[in-house]
Amino acid sequence: MLSIASAGRRTASATIRFYPLAAAQSGWASSTRHVSTPSRQPTHAFSSTSVASNELPLKTLRDLLVLSKDVQGIDANAPPANEKKPTTAADFLTLMSQIILVGSTGFLLYCAVFPNQMSNMLENYKEQLTQRRHDRILEFMTSERPYLSGSVERATKNASEDSATSSLMFHNEIYHTEVAGDIKKVLLQAPVLRYGILTGPTGSGKSRLIRTLVKEETHYAVLSMGLISGVKSLVDALSEEIGYDFDDWTERMLQGYLFNGSTVSFPTQLDKLAFLLDEFEEACWSLKFNAKHDPAAAGNSTNKTNVKRPVLVLDDIDLLDTSDKDTRQAVRMLFNSANKWAREDTALVVFTTGNASLMDETGEIAKIVRPEVLELAKVYNVGCLTPESADRFLMDRIGVYGGVKGAGFQAGDLERKKVQWVVGTKMFDLIKVCDELVKKDLSVDQVLHAQLSEAVADVRRAFDDVGNVVGERQMRSLCRWMDSISHIPVSEAASKGHLFEEARRKGFGDAMKFLLGRDVVSSNGLFSSDLIRNAYCKYRNIPITYTPTLETKKSRGWFY
């Protein structure tokens, strides 16, 4: 049995080794018939043991592949062997994967071999990102933003309408000349040593004054608190005003993944506010020690005191809802930052607020901010205009109507005096009168009568409410004391001392606090404006300097 099997294997082996090679060498067609013949090689050349243990030789395997190709033939529809196949998406992804793999491997090897050089490169990249953020803040604060001053010219096709109302617009005029001059010398001149607080009654012109002054500075930002509802909106509005973008992925996400392993996140909005204030401080330091951001200090890199400090105006800080705990903390952070930046000569922060907010007992700001922080501030009281400034204010808006000047202003001077006699010199009261006169076909007396009647109604409601709080007996005593100060013009308040303390000693403390909240009196104890003072006199039947009448004929002397 063994010999037969061995003979069969030898026959098969001989057939496989001989005929395929002959077929390939002679080029026979695939239909050639093959006849197997017994091998004529010696029998001792093959054995059952060697065939079973050894694999086919390499040449035999190549002959088998050649034979298989000849037998199968060539498909006529198949593309030529040398034709280039089109690149597919899979090929592109494969190539990119290979490039990424090779690049990542090379990067890791470089980091392992040169750790110090790689660390220095990352630090330089981080510094470049930080410097770019600071440069963007400073560049934004130097950009032109007409909306901050409110002096945007009217855009209208009607030329006559524009000429008639353009006089009502502000064109960078300053009417509180003494306060403005002191702000320029003390606050806006480097080095910065104190931050500023502008106080005064509502409508006295605090916001208008500081916005006009900071427009002359190189770097400035103004944020009004009137529409701030909480810490989140405060952070969003402040970042927008100083030009900081929390959503810039190249600044926040990329840097966070490279250096922190994740994106920058803030547990609370107070943490986000602290981060924003820190970024603003670093930008100010970059300005202080890098003169390229300040054209005025260019070429004088040794004298850093010539560099203008950035000015941040936080307008109407008392309008924030301080009943919220986080908002109170945010206000405290803002004042602490202003104090710190002033002591370090980094930046100037100016707050505007009402008189009542800084009083020890009634002021919300005084209750939140530490006394030692408030003591370091430079406080300015922006009150009513002087008679000369008020007359110039009226001349700029209604003294020359339509840009036509007459030969004389005798009648016009009298009309302007009537305005000051009735409404006083408070800027907002003057604006209301000018607005009515320019836009309506009314006489001066008609407008003044309407303004005075409206003020009398407000005073009557306020004192009726005070009577319900303190009682009729104390109300009569309060009115007698108020009658004694009703003849004092608001412009003379500085020479009369602090009458609020005198009223408190007389037992009118609660009533005065109530009237202070209704904007009837100011923090010094006098009436908040001459219009309110005259309205109180009319309410108490006390004669006033001038009582307007309801005349229907408009005086031509007002404009000519």
Side-chain angles (χ1 to χ4, degrees), residues 437-452:
L437 287 174
V438 172
K439 295 181 180 179
K440 295 182 179 179
D441 188 20
L442 299 175
S443 66
V444 175
D445 278 51
Q446 286 176 326
V447 173
L448 295 179
H449 184 273
Q451 296 289 332
L452 185 60

Side-chain angles (χ1 to χ4, degrees), residues 124-136:
N124 293 334
Y125 175 69
K126 184 178 181 180
E127 292 178 1
Q128 291 178 4
L129 289 180
T130 303
Q131 187 62 40
R132 187 171 69 170
R133 293 199 310 271
H134 298 164
D135 292 343
R136 286 182 177 179

Side-chain angles (χ1 to χ4, degrees), residues 57-123:
L58 180 60
K59 186 175 184 302
T60 304
L61 180 59
R62 186 173 65 249
D63 295 343
L64 285 174
L65 295 176
V66 173
L67 177 60
S68 175
K69 181 177 180 181
D70 291 341
V71 171
Q72 292 179 358
I74 301 176
D75 188 3
N77 297 326
N82 58 352
E83 182 179 355
K84 186 177 179 180
K85 296 182 179 179
T87 303
T88 61
D91 297 335
F92 178 76
L93 293 177
T94 303
L95 178 61
M96 294 301 298
S97 302
Q98 293 174 352
I99 294 175
I100 293 173
L101 179 60
V102 174
S104 301
T105 304
F107 177 75
L108 294 176
L109 291 176
Y110 182 85
C111 294
V113 177
F114 305 101
N116 295 331
Q117 291 82 343
M118 195 63 204
S119 177
N120 294 334
M121 291 174 60
L122 292 177
E123 288 296 330

Side-chain angles (χ1 to χ4, degrees), residues 223 228-247 269 272-273 276:
L223 174 61
I228 303 298
S229 60
V231 181
K232 183 179 184 305
S233 60
L234 173 61
V235 173
D236 295 339
L238 181 58
S239 61
E240 182 179 355
E241 290 300 328
I242 66 175
Y244 188 85
D245 188 6
F246 279 100
D247 298 328
Q269 291 296 325
K272 194 173 183 179
L273 176 61
L276 180 61

Side-chain angles (χ1 to χ4, degrees), residues 295-498:
N300 190 6
S301 58
T302 58
N303 189 6
K304 300 301 180 183
T305 59
N306 292 335
V307 180
K308 285 282 190 177
R309 306 296 184 256
V311 181
L312 176 61
V313 178
L314 301 177
D315 196 12
D316 296 328
I317 191 69
D318 55 329
L319 295 183
L320 291 175
D321 183 13
T322 55
S323 61
D324 181 64
K325 179 181 178 181
D326 291 343
T327 304
R328 292 196 299 271
Q329 181 63 28
V331 172
R332 191 177 297 111
M333 291 172 59
L334 292 175
F335 274 87
N336 291 339
S337 299
N339 182 41
K340 177 178 181 294
W341 298 339
R343 288 186 289 106
E344 297 175 352
D345 187 23
T346 305
L348 171 65
V349 181
V350 180
F351 300 92
T352 66
T353 180
N355 288 327
S357 63
L358 297 180
M359 297 185 64
D360 296 335
E361 297 182 2
T362 60
E364 293 295 333
I365 302 299
K367 295 178 182 178
I368 296 173
V369 184
R370 293 179 301 168
E372 57 270 21
V373 175
L374 290 177
E375 290 175 358
L376 295 176
K378 175 66 175 177
V379 181
Y380 295 94
N381 183 25
V382 182
C384 298
L385 300 175
T386 62
E388 296 77 13
S389 298
D391 187 70
R392 182 163 60 90
F393 181 90
L394 295 174
M395 279 288 296
D396 291 341
R397 280 149 186 81
I398 54 180
V400 185
Y401 184 78
V404 180
K405 292 186 178 181
F409 285 95
Q410 296 299 325
D413 292 341
L414 178 61
E415 300 296 336
R416 292 196 302 274
K417 289 180 181 179
K418 289 181 181 179
V419 174
Q420 294 191 41
W421 289 338
V422 176
V423 304
T425 59
K426 188 176 178 180
M427 182 175 289
F428 184 70
D429 294 335
L430 295 177
I431 290 176
K432 291 193 296 183
V433 173
C434 295
D435 188 48
E436 294 288 329
L437 287 174
V438 172
K439 295 181 180 179
K440 295 182 179 179
D441 188 20
L442 299 175
S443 66
V444 175
D445 278 51
Q446 286 176 326
V447 173
L448 295 179
H449 184 273
Q451 296 289 332
L452 185 60
S453 300
E454 182 180 353
V456 170
D458 294 338
V459 169
R460 180 178 289 108
R461 285 192 297 267
F463 276 87
D464 290 344
D465 294 338
V466 170
N468 296 331
V469 174
V470 301
E472 183 179 356
R473 181 177 179 181
Q474 191 175 8
M475 178 65 178
R476 289 196 297 267
S477 301
L478 174 65
C479 288
R480 286 194 296 268
W481 185 79
M482 297 291 290
D483 292 345
S484 64
I485 65 173
S486 62
H487 67 282
I488 304 176
V490 176
S491 58
E492 300 179 6
S495 61
K496 299 301 179 181
H498 203 281

Side-chain angles (χ1 to χ4, degrees), residues 4-191:
I4 297 174
S6 299
R9 292 191 186 96
R10 288 194 298 269
T11 305
S13 176
T15 305
I16 293 173
R17 293 181 59 188
F18 175 73
Y19 283 102
L21 180 59
Q25 293 176 349
S26 59
W28 290 349
S30 60
S31 59
T32 304
R33 298 175 58 185
H34 302 283
V35 179
S36 179
T37 58
S39 175
R40 296 182 182 181
Q41 295 182 359
T43 56
H44 60 79
F46 299 95
S47 63
S48 60
T49 304
S50 62
V51 174
S53 60
N54 297 332
E55 297 179 355
L56 293 175
L58 180 60
K59 186 175 184 302
T60 304
L61 180 59
R62 186 173 65 249
D63 295 343
L64 285 174
L65 295 176
V66 173
L67 177 60
S68 175
K69 181 177 180 181
D70 291 341
V71 171
Q72 292 179 358
I74 301 176
D75 188 3
N77 297 326
N82 58 352
E83 182 179 355
K84 186 177 179 180
K85 296 182 179 179
T87 303
T88 61
D91 297 335
F92 178 76
L93 293 177
T94 303
L95 178 61
M96 294 301 298
S97 302
Q98 293 174 352
I99 294 175
I100 293 173
L101 179 60
V102 174
S104 301
T105 304
F107 177 75
L108 294 176
L109 291 176
Y110 182 85
C111 294
V113 177
F114 305 101
N116 295 331
Q117 291 82 343
M118 195 63 204
S119 177
N120 294 334
M121 291 174 60
L122 292 177
E123 288 296 330
N124 293 334
Y125 175 69
K126 184 178 181 180
E127 292 178 1
Q128 291 178 4
L129 289 180
T130 303
Q131 187 62 40
R132 187 171 69 170
R133 293 199 310 271
H134 298 164
D135 292 343
R136 286 182 177 179
I137 292 176
L138 297 175
E139 290 175 2
F140 183 82
M141 294 180 69
T142 58
S143 61
E144 184 67 22
R145 288 153 290 167
Y147 64 90
L148 293 180
S149 62
S151 299
V152 182
E153 297 292 341
R154 288 171 53 91
T156 176
K157 297 181 179 179
N158 193 337
S160 61
E161 179 185 357
D162 182 67
S163 62
T165 58
S166 61
S167 61
L168 296 175
M169 304 298 294
F170 285 83
H171 302 281
N172 301 327
E173 303 97 339
I174 295 178
Y175 299 98
H176 298 86
T177 54
E178 295 184 2
V179 177
D182 196 79
I183 291 176
K184 289 181 178 180
K185 294 179 180 180
V186 178
L187 293 182
L188 299 179
Q189 184 176 353

